[in-house]
Amino acid sequence: MTTRTTPDPAPAFPASGTTRPTVADRVEQGRSWRRTAPLDTLGDWSPAPDRLDPVSVLGAQDASRVPELVPIRYGRMSASPFAFYRGSAAVMAADLATLPRTAGVTQLCGDAHVANFGVYAAADRSLVFDINDFDETLPGPFEWDVLRLAASLVLAARDRGFERSVARDAARAAARAYRLATVDLARQRNLDVWYARVDEDRIMRAVDAAKAGKRAHRTAASTFDKARGRTSLRAAEKLTELVDGRLRFREAPPLISREPLSALDREQADTLFESYRSTLDDPLRRLLDRFEPVDAARKVVGVGSVGTRAYVLLLAGRDDDDPLILQLKQAQASVLEKHLGASEYGHSGQRVVNGQRYAQAASDILLGWVTGPGGFDFYVRQLHDMKGSIDLARVRRRGLVTLASLCGSTLARAHARSGDAVAVAAYLGHDTDDDAFDKAVGRFARRYADQAESDAARLDDAIRSGDVEAVTGV
């Protein structure tokens, strides 16, 4: 096992104007990666002798977070090993850095666990399935995302009490789908790869073809139906109230509170809003000109994100039936930067937005970034834009394996937009029966899920001893 003690220089995509390599050159490059990062080594991970205490790694992130919200983060992470895993991307990044790695550069999600895949509305209002969280996005070796996805599937299977064989099959299915999709994408024209996306019809066909059963079909259909109902209007009905003839956010501290922004005067708010607008294209700036900011509040979100600063901004359109709610979410340095080098972007919000645009087949039209209250970096998006997630509590055995395949092929499509699918396909092997990659990823997923369970128990011990404060049920 190779251990890296210092981060490599920040990876960079090929500069424009450089000589374009031939397909044969790219195939040879991918094959050469097997010499420095053999497929089998992907499954050979074991914790390094000098591995840092996971609770210490998490604690190092607390310094930049809102102190009174940190206990909520730990409370949510302590719910299960899978919940712990969702919030411990920094821990896994350090572990992945000890593995030999491929030399290619792909725009990574950075936190590609199964719960970070879902549906949302494209600009044409059709629903698509894609990765939906890019807080940790950074260019790096493609396999890091695949390994994080696979381990999350094992933990999700264990969380449901499924047999070991289901966990194994799900992890391998994700790897196999990634491999086969990459081989297919490597043969496609560049624009075809860029335009490719997974829409509602394709998902329903995949569910039916997998013969996952009527329950799986209903679960998938329900996910889309719920997503269609998650609009700004519905969010406004749930989160706001009418006071003195004006809409404002309904407080529910500590999850929703207007107090942290009460000192932000209108001039400051207008300056921040204008700064955000400047990151959008002109037509979208004109669209936002038709809305007026009327209120703002702090809103706690996520699991691992809890404690970072996140706000919601209420805008009024033509009347009270035309609200728009934007979310401002704090962006910090990616947890991958310590191991892969600093981002090329000086603003972490810009890093998140551009990484998302690289990877997603269709992105929120109002994605932007801003330096917000306190001088912190933020990215901005719509709070609800027909977003929906898979309810893992309802997914059955065969359905989880089907979902794993869908996530694997979706991740391959996301990577092919920025990475070199030809080289990656050559590394993985063009023979569809060559399952060395699938088996190696499966071995890693099982081993790392064991480690995540041990790490989660370590957090539980720290909470019981009083070394870590946790608030549950919030």
Side-chain angles (χ1 to χ4, degrees):
M1 182 178 68
T2 301
T3 301
R4 296 179 183 269
T5 58
T6 57
D8 288 342
F13 296 112
S16 60
T18 58
T19 302
R20 182 166 58 93
T22 66
V23 170
D25 291 337
R26 294 157 68 190
V27 168
E28 180 55 36
Q29 182 182 52
R31 289 174 177 167
S32 72
W33 296 346
R34 289 201 177 194
R35 294 192 290 272
T36 55
L39 288 176
D40 284 347
T41 63
L42 296 178
D44 290 342
W45 181 86
S46 60
D50 58 350
R51 185 176 188 260
L52 295 175
D53 172 33
V55 175
S56 298
V57 174
L58 297 174
Q61 297 181 300
D62 295 344
S64 61
R65 299 183 182 229
V66 181
E68 64 265 30
L69 298 181
V70 170
I72 298 176
R73 178 198 189 199
Y74 289 122
R76 292 185 177 182
M77 289 181 65
S78 68
S80 69
F82 181 53
F84 173 88
Y85 184 82
R86 290 181 59 181
S88 58
V91 176
M92 189 172 189
D95 289 329
L96 289 172
T98 66
L99 282 170
R101 68 186 68 154
T102 58
V105 179
T106 298
Q107 188 70 38
L108 302 181
C109 162
D111 192 16
H113 62 71
V114 63
N116 273 343
F117 289 75
V119 300
Y120 58 90
D124 62 4
R125 316 318 294 153
S126 62
L127 291 175
V128 296
F129 180 88
D130 214 325
I131 310 168
N132 57 20
D133 188 302
F134 291 88
D135 286 9
E136 310 298 348
T137 187
L138 198 74
F142 79 90
E143 65 270 18
W144 284 22
D145 271 354
V146 181
L147 296 174
R148 183 148 176 81
L149 170 61
S152 76
L153 288 160
V154 173
L155 286 165
R158 293 178 181 180
D159 194 53
R160 292 295 314 280
F162 294 159
E163 297 84 354
R164 293 170 62 92
S165 60
V166 176
R168 178 201 63 208
D169 291 348
R172 288 187 181 181
R176 182 176 188 273
Y178 183 93
R179 174 172 58 85
L180 296 181
T182 300
V183 170
D184 179 59
L185 289 159
R187 300 184 180 117
Q188 295 185 25
R189 296 182 177 91
N190 292 334
L191 283 179
D192 291 337
V193 171
W194 197 261
Y195 288 136
R197 68 184 190 181
V198 180
D199 59 18
E200 182 176 1
D201 289 342
R202 180 175 171 183
I203 290 178
M204 298 309 297
R205 289 197 304 270
V207 170
D208 293 338
K211 298 181 180 179
K214 293 182 179 180
R215 182 185 177 94
H217 184 99
R218 289 195 299 269
T219 298
S222 174
T223 298
F224 286 110
D225 289 342
K226 289 179 180 179
R228 272 186 279 270
R230 289 171 62 84
T231 62
S232 276
L233 182 59
R234 184 68 60 85
E237 292 173 354
K238 180 180 179 180
L239 300 177
T240 68
E241 59 187 354
L242 200 62
V243 178
D244 297 330
R246 302 277 290 183
L247 281 178
R248 75 174 189 182
F249 286 110
R250 183 183 293 112
E251 293 203 81
L255 300 185
I256 302 179
S257 176
R258 301 171 71 244
E259 180 62 27
L261 291 177
S262 60
L264 189 68
D265 61 35
R266 184 54 186 265
E267 182 177 352
Q268 290 175 302
D270 287 345
T271 299
L272 288 174
F273 189 62
E274 182 59 34
S275 179
Y276 154 64
R277 285 179 69 258
S278 70
T279 66
L280 303 177
D281 292 336
D282 282 346
L284 296 175
R285 295 181 199 173
R286 295 190 183 186
L287 170 63
L288 284 182
D289 285 342
R290 300 179 180 181
F291 289 88
E292 176 191 7
V294 295
D295 198 21
R298 185 178 72 190
K299 186 177 188 301
V300 175
V301 295
V303 178
S305 296
V306 177
T308 58
R309 293 154 182 82
Y311 306 107
V312 282
L313 179 64
L314 175 64
L315 298 97
R318 63 186 301 273
D319 53 33
D320 289 341
D321 291 326
D322 186 26
L324 172 62
I325 299 181
L326 297 177
Q327 180 188 56
L328 288 77
K329 191 174 180 185
Q330 184 182 354
Q332 304 181 88
S334 167
V335 296
L336 305 183
E337 292 186 49
K338 183 177 180 180
H339 313 286
L340 298 177
S343 169
E344 65 179 294
Y345 300 107
H347 194 289
S348 292
Q350 186 178 11
R351 172 186 59 77
V352 173
V353 169
N354 285 341
Q356 185 166 344
R357 288 172 177 167
Y358 254 129
Q360 285 186 326
S363 296
D364 186 340
I365 62 172
L366 295 181
L367 271 178
W369 62 90
V370 68
T371 300
F376 296 103
D377 292 350
F378 291 82
Y379 65 94
V380 185
R381 62 185 178 185
Q382 296 181 67
L383 178 65
H384 289 312
D385 189 26
M386 300 188 190
K387 296 181 177 72
S389 58
I390 305 297
D391 185 356
L392 294 173
R394 297 180 59 191
V395 174
R396 293 191 171 182
R397 292 163 176 81
R398 188 176 295 178
L400 181 64
V401 176
T402 301
L403 176 61
S405 295
L406 182 62
C407 291
S409 59
T410 299
L411 183 61
R413 193 269 313 142
H415 284 177
R417 288 168 62 92
S418 63
D420 188 345
V422 173
V424 174
Y427 171 77
L428 298 176
H430 289 89
D431 184 351
T432 57
D433 295 327
D434 182 359
D435 61 357
F437 176 71
D438 316 352
K439 290 179 178 178
V441 170
R443 289 199 310 276
F444 172 89
R446 175 182 57 79
R447 293 179 180 183
Y448 202 81
D450 291 344
Q451 184 64 57
E453 289 179 340
S454 177
D455 291 347
R458 169 73 183 91
L459 176 62
D460 290 341
D461 289 343
I463 292 172
R464 282 193 293 268
S465 68
D467 292 336
V468 171
E469 181 183 359
V471 175
T472 59
V474 181

